[in-house]
Amino acid sequence: MALVKYFATLREITGKREETVRGVKNIKELMQLLINRYGDKFAKELRDRAMILVNGKNILHIRDMDTEIEEEDVVSIFPPAGGG
Amino acid sequence: MYGYHGKIARINLSTGKISVEKFDEKMAKKWLGTRGFGIHVLLKEIDPKVDPLSPENKILYTTGPLTGTAAPTGGRYMVITKSPLTGYIAMANSGGFFGAELKLAGWDMLIVEGKAEKPVYISIRNEEIEIKDASHVWGKRVSETEKILIEEFGDKHAQVASIGPAGENLVRFAAIMNNGHRAAGRGGIGAVMGSKNLKAIIVRGRGRVELADRQKFISVVKEKTNKLKNDPVAGGGLPKYGTAVLVNIINQNGLYPTRNFRSGVFEYAEEQSGEAMAAKYLKRNKPCYACPIGCGRVNRVGVLEETEGPEYESTWALGANLGINDLASIIEANHLIDDLGMDTISTGGTLATAMELYDVGLLKQEDLGDAPPFRWGNTEVLHYYIEKIAYRQGFGDKLAEGGYRLAKMYGGEEYFMGVKKQELPAYDPRGAEGHGLGYATDNRGGDHIKAYMISPEILGYPVKMDPHDISDEKVKMLIAFQDLTAVIDAAGLCLFTTFGLVGDDYRDLLNAALGWDLTTEDYMKIGERIWNAERLFNLKAGLNPREEDTLPKRLTEEPMPEGPNKGHVVRLKEMLPRYYELRGWNADGTIPKEKLKELELDEYL
Ligand code: SF4
């Protein structure tokens, strides 16, 4: 059971700040599940330069979409963002 | 010459003399504008060892070729002087509407020198410049000063850049403010105005900037504006949540400095995030001159019907860095700091130093008397000390010297989290090591703006780099960021355009406006020249690279205690020699003669 956290516009699309998700092995499966659940709007928001972290580490520096998700992991998903 | 008026006003406050000087395309092509013009004048005209608060220091208000044009975000100006905080160069940038107005009045740059006998302000109506008595606004806060001067001027479109009580009282991190809440914030430049008895500059300009090919320029502007509008960050995240959208991002990535950089994870980040601010306090967003992005926040909180900000940096400096969890108080404190005319980052950083000194027992309650204790998380600190700093009252007088000098007074230098005596901004480099190298080598000391490596290391623009990679690729990226930033600054644009534009886009805008045919590499060379010239000034001012191109020990020796970056330090010792070499500098951090020659800087030796 992984904890998935949403930020910025993703909170409006999902109507949630976070939720627990079961039965997914990796990020690819998680994203499929979430896109099925929240539809096009969710997918579109993440199309370009989104950020996905597993326990605070960017999946691009782990195994990208193949990054495994274990029990107790925290997955944070951000739409593209910047500031400074 | 297009894009420039070729006109500089030299205003001597000691003698009251005002003269007009001209410059030609050679100077424009060498330095582009703002920071470039500024460092050229400083190197030519002041002794780098001068006391920053003496009449011999000069303060320059500069614009770029795109300032005052329709280029997206083309409203920026920069103030360049020698900093009373660092003792090195200060170049602070601000948005709002002042910069464009100055340019439209017909001026590329003002050089202000000397010291007025009594408080004065400078009034500019197109080519007409006067020095006027400011005794009736001396002591007034920024919002009131702006109101009174605009009324007196008799034109509500006039724009004001002024100092508050902090600048008058020579607080070492006093800012110059315009449009109420827009700050040329860092390096204590407000104190330089204060030291010259210069309260404000008010300007109204009704001219325009001549362009090489207006038709072509407008079509390039349209194209770049659309690019920004369609960008998910510049056209989406920034207008919607402002810069504070970063609070959650940086905290989740484990580099949100907490309690004076003791940790990189703040347990209350969510409650003071951009999302929380938008939900609770946001009235609307607010753009600067010619800006299609509009990252500015207009908030409503408590008795404040309207205030602007806080930005990400300020939210952090007055929140997580002090362990404070009270967003309403943070917004109010931000408002107060703006109105008193101070830099929010250095204000927060100095208070954090005091908190740690108190925590470890070097600063004692008896040093404070009845004043509130500097306990982590104590909101009273914001309500009580901010005003005391601006007026240099009680313990505020010591705080007004900044974190470095405060820590030294109490024998706890290692608790000052800054570089070259300037307080660090809101990223713990143990979670972004290239950004740490940026802090260590920044010409204006602890600062994130002159090379925002968070972009590649965390946010993933223009490419995603591993925050813990310290290869030459990383060092080269930092150098490219430093040089490109100098170009964008010098052009007169806002750095947030980098979330949607790349080097070639700036080249297109500049070439269309100026009628030049420079390549992106040519512009980058100007950026490199500016960076090296600023470094040269610092070296002449006495910079000791071995001791000062560095980071606080905590960041290089104490591993991050928790979160995603647990166990990491910044491996500065490994990166710094590579940086010097890739810059073409000597191993001791000085610049070899050949390099200066290559960059046409040998005349400043
Ligand atoms: S992006 Fe923000 S800071 Fe930059 S010019 Fe626009 S509103 Fe001003």
Side-chain angles (χ1 to χ4, degrees):
Chain A
M1 197 172 69
L3 178 67
V4 183
K5 294 183 169 189
Y6 304 109
F7 296 91
T9 44
L10 297 180
R11 289 184 178 176
E12 290 162 28
I13 294 168
T14 62
K16 305 184 173 84
R17 273 193 193 184
E18 56 181 48
E19 65 185 313
T20 50
V21 173
R22 286 167 213 274
V24 288
K25 278 204 313 289
N26 56 31
I27 294 291
K28 200 189 287 164
E29 288 185 15
L30 172 68
M31 293 317 279
Q32 266 154 10
L33 183 141
L34 296 180
I35 288 167
N36 286 341
R37 194 175 284 174
Y38 299 113
D40 272 4
K41 231 179 153 190
F42 186 86
K44 215 177 125 208
E45 200 68 14
L46 296 181
R47 203 177 39 202
D48 193 15
R49 304 188 295 193
M51 182 192 293
I52 303 174
L53 311 178
V54 175
N55 303 323
K57 296 217 163 82
N58 197 307
I59 57 163
L60 295 175
H61 307 306
I62 314 174
R63 292 183 54 214
D64 204 353
M65 294 307 268
D66 294 326
T67 302
E68 280 159 29
I69 304 176
E70 318 248 341
E71 290 271 309
E72 312 276 298
D73 277 352
V74 177
V75 182
S76 314
I77 312 179
F78 299 88
Chain B
M1 193 164 48
Y2 299 105
Y4 305 90
H5 306 292
K7 263 171 73 187
I8 300 167
R10 185 180 292 276
I11 303 162
N12 189 309
L13 296 177
S14 302
T15 61
K17 187 171 172 226
I18 299 166
S19 48
V20 180
E21 291 169 18
K22 299 253 156 89
F23 66 89
D24 58 14
E25 193 163 72
K26 201 167 146 235
M27 155 110 162
K29 277 204 163 138
K30 184 162 179 179
W31 294 109
L32 198 58
T34 70
R35 279 168 76 180
F37 289 169
I39 189 59
H40 161 75
V41 174
L42 283 199
L43 281 169
K44 282 271 180 214
E45 298 190 11
I46 76 166
D47 172 2
K49 292 211 155 69
V50 74
D51 172 358
L53 297 178
S54 71
E56 286 72 40
N57 192 12
K58 300 189 184 189
I59 183 163
L60 320 174
Y61 304 80
T62 65
T63 63
L66 298 181
T67 308
T69 70
T73 76
R76 317 285 304 188
Y77 73 105
M78 281 186 103
V79 182
I80 292 100
T81 186
K82 182 173 171 178
S83 161
L85 185 66
T86 64
Y88 302 125
I89 186 162
M91 55 295 196
N93 191 312
S94 180
F97 295 83
F98 178 85
E101 203 68 30
L102 179 62
K103 182 79 176 284
L104 295 174
W107 302 103
D108 296 296
M109 168 162 59
L110 311 175
I111 302 177
V112 177
E113 46 194 35
K115 176 183 178 176
E117 232 167 75
K118 282 192 246 142
V120 296
Y121 71 96
I122 296 170
S123 165
I124 305 175
R125 216 180 283 267
N126 299 311
E127 66 280 1
E128 224 175 275
I129 302 183
E130 287 173 275
I131 301 172
K132 293 188 149 180
D133 176 44
S135 42
H136 59 306
V137 280
W138 198 253
K140 297 255 188 284
R141 297 184 181 202
V142 168
S143 52
E144 231 191 317
T145 303
E146 287 188 5
K147 211 173 125 215
I148 295 171
L149 292 185
I150 289 172
E151 225 166 282
E152 222 166 81
F153 194 86
D155 184 338
K156 67 178 193 311
H157 299 294
Q159 302 293 329
V160 179
S162 70
I163 56 169
E168 296 171 13
N169 295 317
L170 311 184
V171 172
R172 279 189 198 272
F173 45 89
I176 297 174
M177 307 296 300
N178 59 277
N179 300 99
H181 297 276
R182 288 278 158 193
R186 307 222 66 197
I189 59 175
V192 176
M193 272 180 86
S195 75
K196 299 192 174 310
N197 273 328
L198 178 59
K199 177 69 178 173
I201 299 174
I202 185 166
V203 60
R204 176 73 173 120
R206 313 207 57 180
R208 65 182 208 164
V209 181
E210 293 304 326
L211 300 168
D213 181 344
R214 197 163 285 273
Q215 232 31 48
K216 181 163 173 221
F217 181 67
I218 285 170
S219 84
V220 176
V221 166
K222 269 197 189 136
E223 181 211 328
K224 308 305 176 193
T225 301
N226 279 337
K227 213 170 157 187
L228 286 168
K229 282 194 170 149
N230 293 324
D231 181 85
V233 176
L238 270 174
K240 186 148 192 179
Y241 295 104
T243 53
V245 73
L246 284 178
V247 172
N248 274 327
I249 298 177
I250 301 302
N251 192 54
Q252 291 288 316
N253 277 276
L255 61 155
Y256 195 51
T258 298
R259 297 180 181 81
N260 205 30
F261 290 73
R262 280 183 168 180
S263 167
V265 185
F266 187 45
E267 62 275 33
Y268 304 119
E270 180 61 51
E271 284 145 71
Q272 39 196 261
S273 61
E275 290 94 328
M277 209 185 300
K280 279 197 203 151
Y281 303 112
L282 184 67
K283 277 177 90 168
R284 60 177 188 278
N285 72 330
K286 185 174 176 184
C288 302
Y289 174 90
C291 177
I293 303 171
C295 73
R297 308 285 88 188
V298 177
N299 283 317
R300 183 202 338 243
V301 65
V303 294
L304 293 174
E305 203 27 58
E306 267 197 9
T307 181
E308 287 177 40
E311 302 290 332
Y312 166 69
E313 289 295 332
S314 316
T315 309
W316 160 80
L318 306 170
N321 204 31
L322 307 175
I324 286 176
N325 175 28
D326 177 351
L327 183 53
S329 291
I330 293 170
I331 299 177
E332 283 166 356
N334 179 73
H335 180 89
L336 183 61
I337 294 172
D338 284 353
D339 214 20
L340 294 165
M342 297 195 285
D343 172 30
T344 51
I345 299 177
S346 284
T347 305
T350 302
L351 294 172
T353 309
M355 281 188 174
E356 190 151 12
L357 289 170
Y358 190 90
D359 190 63
V360 299
L362 289 171
L363 174 62
K364 301 196 169 56
Q365 190 60 44
E366 64 218 48
D367 298 313
L368 305 173
D370 293 340
F374 277 103
R375 248 182 246 114
W376 298 119
N378 183 6
T379 308
E380 247 189 307
V381 164
L382 297 181
H383 294 300
Y384 182 85
Y385 287 106
I386 289 171
E387 274 199 11
K388 300 286 175 219
I389 297 174
Y391 293 101
R392 283 190 174 270
Q393 288 163 346
F395 192 70
D397 189 35
K398 293 194 167 123
L399 295 167
E401 290 294 296
Y404 171 81
R405 292 167 177 87
L406 180 78
K408 219 170 155 177
M409 279 178 236
Y410 290 91
E413 272 148 289
E414 70 266 41
Y415 302 117
F416 167 64
M417 292 297 121
V419 175
K420 299 181 177 76
K421 306 189 181 78
Q422 175 158 270
E423 293 72 15
L424 288 179
Y427 311 90
D428 190 317
R430 288 174 292 186
E433 296 187 56
H435 198 67
L437 179 64
Y439 287 161
T441 57
D442 198 302
N443 286 327
R444 65 172 188 172
D447 174 61
H448 62 296
I449 282 294
K450 301 291 171 230
Y452 191 58
M453 287 297 284
I454 295 306
S455 221
E457 292 191 287
I458 303 295
L459 304 172
Y461 323 127
V463 289
K464 180 74 178 79
M465 297 183 111
D466 187 331
H468 296 295
D469 164 52
I470 57 165
S471 68
D472 278 6
E473 282 316 292
K474 184 65 77 63
V475 179
K476 282 183 198 158
M477 182 65 97
L478 171 72
I479 292 171
F481 261 59
Q482 289 175 334
D483 295 349
L484 177 64
T485 300
V487 174
I488 299 168
D489 279 344
L493 301 182
C494 175
L495 291 173
F496 288 164
T497 52
T498 54
F499 288 112
L501 303 181
V502 297
D504 290 355
D505 295 311
Y506 300 105
R507 173 205 60 198
D508 295 347
L509 281 163
L510 285 162
N511 282 348
L514 308 179
W516 295 352
D517 58 355
L518 299 193
T519 62
T520 303
E521 291 68 38
D522 295 332
Y523 283 111
M524 290 298 279
K525 198 82 197 164
I526 299 177
E528 186 188 2
R529 177 178 301 125
I530 294 173
W531 191 266
N532 277 267
E534 290 169 349
R535 173 81 172 182
L536 179 64
F537 179 86
N538 286 354
L539 288 164
K540 287 178 153 201
L543 176 77
N544 178 343
R546 185 194 297 271
E547 281 172 19
E548 294 177 285
D549 285 349
T550 185
L551 289 169
K553 262 205 199 121
R554 171 165 295 163
L555 306 178
T556 54
E557 289 178 17
E558 289 175 27
M560 181 75 95
E562 58 184 326
N565 298 300
K566 189 172 174 186
H568 284 281
V569 295
V570 186
R571 288 162 293 170
L572 182 64
K573 272 206 185 100
E574 290 167 56
M575 290 184 284
L576 194 58
R578 298 302 304 140
Y579 174 85
Y580 289 160
E581 189 172 330
L582 290 165
R583 270 262 173 230
W585 294 352
N586 297 317
D588 64 359
T590 56
I591 315 173
K593 279 221 173 74
E594 311 81 74
K595 185 76 200 174
L596 292 172
K597 214 165 165 197
E598 175 202 318
L599 295 169
E600 298 165 69
L601 294 174
D602 37 341
E603 63 172 299
Y604 303 92
L605 268 177

